[in-house]
Every structure is written in structure tokens, then in C-alpha cells.
Amino acid sequence: MISRRTLVGSGALIAAGAGAALAQSGATQTLTAVDVHPRDYPTVEAVRWMGEEIERETGGRLRFRQYPSGQLGTETDTVNLARFHVLDIARVYLGAVNNMFPATQPLALPYIFRGEAHMRAVVDGPVGREILNTFERRDLVGLAFYDSGFRSMYNARHPIHSPQDMRGLKVRVPRADIFIQMLDAMGANATPIPFGEVFTGLQTHLLDGAENNWATFQSTRQYEVARYWSQTDHCAAPEALLMSKSRFDALSRSDRELILAKAQESVPVMRALWDHKQAAARQTVLDAGVHYNQADTEAFRRAVEPMKRRYMANADVAAMVRRIEAQA
Ligand code: BDP
């Protein structure tokens, strides 16, 4: 078990924590919001929009201070920092909370969504709401789901057509059992390392490849070292916007309602930014000469079937998957 004391290690964190405490005493309250992505990324921009809206609506009494680019640590770290109320808002990939919040697992299973519209309908509907509510069990408030597109495979060695081409490749995955099992099932050596270390890992050949969406592939410049993109579309788990529950509960009722409302309103804002970013990133990468191929997605689907069946052996997961599949 991580204690609050061990978490408050770095100077930046002490500054953030102290800032939050100071803000509490005055009229102005500052909520710290973190992300591993840089400033122009759609998740960071959507949270910025949300903060500006809240600042405007409260006449400057409540505002956000953002720490983008992973300044306050890995996603797993920041989720815990939010739980222990060292920081207030953490935007993380669902993979980062998959192990800790099993209710999120159905959304991260491979080939669970028929397309982007299906994924959006699921997270916007009762299934999404129920999953967001489960964050409360461990000191967090689930504010919203953001888009993360579909993830595909990229590597520095050769095009991947079928799972056979994955043999012997060290492929980075987020630190989540689902991702490790998924990539192992596809034939790779799944290598869980933090997001911030992937570029160096590829550059130094510690890794052969990774998997992610177009926007991340481009914004991290991983495409400069991994020159083969193979479209597998294997996972469309969304991003999660989470808030420290103790910080949330300490706010007035009207501030809590404002935060929830603005988080919901930030979803279409994020999606508009996302659609644009995704298309632009893909174009940048292809213009830079990355080799693109469509993989045999049916072969990948078959490869992960046994792994999916193991998850479905859990009645809760199976019930949730049926509801997801039934979503129009
Ligand atoms: C990106 C997510 C980011 C994750 C990263 C990962 O936006 O939050 O850290 O994937 O693979 O798509 O770890």
C-alpha cells in the first residue's frame, strides 16, 4: 500500500499539494489537473476548456492549474496521487486503471466495439455511467470518458499482416493485465513500461514496437523510430477523466454540480478536437514516409478469442459485454 507520505516525494508535487492547501484557505480555489500529453493534445485542451468555463462561471473563484506532459509522474502514479488528494484531476488512459478498477475491463477488451460511433454510444449511455460510478469505491470521482480512437500496431522491423509476424517482437503495452494478455495472445512479447519511456525504448531497440492511436504515435514522435504502422484496430478503450473524491466532496454542492456539468460538456469539445487531431496526425505520419498496411484483422480477432473467453468466464464481465454488444 502506497502512503501519502511516499507519494509526496518530488518538489513539484510538494508545490502542487501545498498550492491546493493554500487555495483551500482563500476565496480562490485552484484545482490541479494532470495529463501525460503535451499542451496541444485534445485531452489537455478539453480540460483547459473545462477549467476556463468553470473559472468564468464562478467569477474566478474556482480555477484549474494544468500540469501536462507527465510533469507529475506516470499515469499509475497520478491516479494514486488523486486518490490521496495530492492532486485533484487526473486524465489517464483506461489501461492505467484497468487492474485497480475491474469494472473498466470490458471496455478494454480487444475487438469489443464495432466502430467509433458504437464506442461513443456505449460510454455516453448507462454502461458508461455505471462504470464511471465505480471509481467512487476507491476515492475517485469518474467525471467523463474521452475518445482515444482505435489502437493499432507499429514497429521498427517489418510490416505486420497476421499474428505470425508478431513472433519474437518486443511490443510495449500499458501496465495492465488485459494488455499484456492481449499482446501475448497475438504472439508478441508484451513489455509493460510507462508511456514516457516508449520513445527511448524504441530508439535504443529495447523495444521493437508498441501499439497506440494515430494521435499519440505522431505527438510522441515515435513514428520517427518505428517506421511500420499496421492497422489492427484491436482496442478502443477510452480515456478517463478522474477527480480526487475527497477534494470533490469538500466543494459546495453547486460547485460539484458545475464540475460534473462542465465535464460532460467537455466531451463533445474533446471529440471535435480529437477528430481533427486524429486525421491530421495520420497525414503527418504518412507524409513522413511511414509504411502503412492493413493487417488481417480477422486473424487477430481469432488470436485473442481464447483470452477474451477467459475474461467472459467472469459473470459480471460477461453481462457487461452483452450489454455493450446490444448497444445500437
Ligand atoms: C495514449 C493515452 C495515454 C496513455 C498511452 C499509453 O492517451 O493516456 O498513457 O496511450 O499507451 O493513447 O500508455
Side-chain angles (χ1 to χ4, degrees), residues 36-37 75 91 93 148 151 172 174 195 212-213 216 239:
V36 292
H37 288 301
E75 294 192 334
R91 196 295 306 163
Y93 186 54
S148 195
R151 291 167 83 102
R172 179 272 171 177
F195 177 61
N212 219 310
N213 54 46
T216 296
E239 315 278 357

Side-chain angles (χ1 to χ4, degrees), residues 5-271:
R5 187 187 301 264
T6 51
L7 283 172
V8 190
S10 77
L13 287 178
I14 291 168
L22 271 180
Q24 292 282 35
S25 62
T28 308
Q29 299 200 47
T30 304
L31 301 178
T32 51
V34 305
D35 199 308
V36 292
H37 288 301
R39 278 211 186 276
D40 61 350
Y41 201 86
T43 51
V44 180
E45 288 297 295
V47 171
R48 185 168 67 86
W49 177 89
M50 185 180 156
E52 284 170 1
E53 283 285 300
I54 288 172
E55 186 167 344
R56 189 176 52 75
E57 294 252 341
T58 61
R61 189 175 44 74
L62 198 57
R63 57 168 69 138
F64 284 11
R65 182 181 296 134
Q66 287 183 280
Y67 291 87
S69 304
Q71 289 171 48
L72 296 193
T74 68
E75 294 192 334
T76 318
D77 290 343
T78 60
V79 167
N80 283 313
L81 291 166
R83 291 182 54 218
F84 289 98
H85 190 183
V86 180
L87 54 83
D88 303 309
I89 294 176
R91 196 295 306 163
V92 296
Y93 186 54
L94 212 68
V97 289
N98 244 205
N99 286 359
M100 196 187 283
F101 296 93
T104 64
Q105 288 173 358
L107 300 179
L109 285 173
Y111 299 111
I112 205 74
F113 295 111
R114 294 186 295 273
E116 199 151 62
H118 180 212
M119 187 280 294
R120 287 176 174 176
V122 168
V123 302
D124 289 347
V127 166
R129 177 41 55 203
E130 254 171 61
I131 297 175
L132 281 180
N133 289 345
T134 62
F135 285 104
E136 300 219 354
R137 289 185 206 149
R138 285 187 171 206
D139 321 308
L140 292 168
V141 177
L143 296 178
F145 285 120
Y146 283 161
D147 274 32
S148 195
F150 277 76
R151 291 167 83 102
S152 281
M153 221 58 75
Y154 48 88
N155 79 95
R157 296 192 176 273
H158 51 239
I160 289 165
H161 299 284
S162 72
Q164 261 114 334
D165 303 322
M166 302 276 283
R167 295 253 168 79
L169 291 189
K170 281 189 86 170
V171 178
R172 179 272 171 177
V173 290
R175 284 177 194 264
D177 294 342
I178 284 200
F179 280 87
I180 298 172
Q181 292 158 11
M182 190 185 326
L183 270 288
D184 280 343
M186 292 175 176
N189 297 337
T191 311
I193 63 168
F195 177 61
E197 292 165 30
V198 184
F199 181 87
T200 321
L202 289 167
Q203 202 181 31
T204 59
H205 306 295
L206 171 75
L207 298 169
D208 297 305
E211 46 81 56
N212 219 310
N213 54 46
W214 287 108
T216 296
F217 186 47
Q218 183 265 324
S219 80
T220 55
R221 304 173 71 160
Q222 290 173 31
Y223 70 96
E224 292 177 6
V225 280
R227 304 293 288 164
Y228 297 93
W229 172 281
S230 304
Q231 193 85 23
T232 49
D233 290 321
H234 54 273
C235 180
E239 315 278 357
L241 186 65
L242 306 172
M243 181 164 177
S244 157
K245 184 165 178 348
S246 58
R247 184 60 189 265
F248 185 81
D249 290 345
L251 294 170
S252 69
R253 188 199 176 118
S254 60
D255 283 351
R256 291 200 299 269
E257 282 167 3
L258 180 64
I259 287 180
L260 292 176
K262 290 297 167 189
Q264 279 318 304
E265 285 174 37
S266 76
V267 173
V269 172
M270 192 279 171
R271 284 180 185 166

Side-chain angles (χ1 to χ4, degrees), residues 110-111 182 185-186 299-309:
Y111 299 111
M182 190 185 326
M186 292 175 176
F300 278 92
R301 256 176 225 277
R302 282 195 300 275
V304 295
E305 249 340 289
M307 167 261 167
K308 266 170 98 173
R309 270 203 300 275

